[in-house]
Amino acid sequence: MKEKRITSFAEFWPFYMSQHQDRHCRALHYGGSLASLGFLLGGIASGQGLWCLAAIPAGYGPAWIGHFLVEKNRPATFQYPLYSLLADYVMLFRFLTGRLGPHLARKIS
């Protein structure tokens, strides 16, 4: 039976959170997201495009390590790249503002 394709971010978010239950995996995501922002902003500020390119492995590397070694699941990036990228930064923002807790408690069926 074929899985139903997710077609909105609102529908994707609970799935995304279900794939990030372990706090160590989330911590790797936070570090990668912050590093990628640093490389991106540094590249823009300095006019050095290679720094902007470095944002890609800086962000995805730690996140994928978290999935493969900690959560032992497949990163959502492979199936939903744009929703996943947005969700990484939404999760980081909610963590930094103390508003992630209610989203951790939700379970999807």
Side-chain angles (χ1 to χ4, degrees):
M1 186 171 154
K2 190 174 179 181
E3 254 183 67
K4 180 182 177 274
R5 180 108 176 122
I6 293 172
T7 59
S8 71
F9 186 77
E11 188 180 357
F12 177 75
W13 178 250
F15 165 73
Y16 176 87
M17 289 308 300
S18 76
Q19 302 300 295
H20 297 84
Q21 293 296 303
D22 190 287
R23 65 186 173 93
H24 298 99
C25 180
R26 290 192 308 275
L28 286 164
H29 275 67
Y30 304 146
S33 294
L34 289 169
S36 70
L37 282 174
F39 278 110
L40 187 61
L41 294 174
I44 291 168
S46 69
Q48 300 294 317
L50 287 178
W51 286 105
C52 294
L53 286 177
I56 297 167
Y60 284 120
W64 290 357
I65 288 169
H67 284 288
F68 292 125
L69 300 180
V70 178
E71 288 279 1
K72 303 208 183 332
N73 61 19
R74 186 171 180 239
T77 304
F78 298 151
Q79 191 171 7
Y80 300 100
L82 295 178
Y83 286 154
S84 183
L85 180 63
L86 176 59
D88 285 343
Y89 290 103
V90 169
M91 182 172 70
L92 173 64
F93 178 76
R94 288 181 174 163
F95 169 73
L96 292 174
T97 60
R99 298 183 316 177
L100 186 62
H103 300 275
L104 295 173
R106 294 182 188 161
K107 301 288 184 198
I108 64 168
S109 52

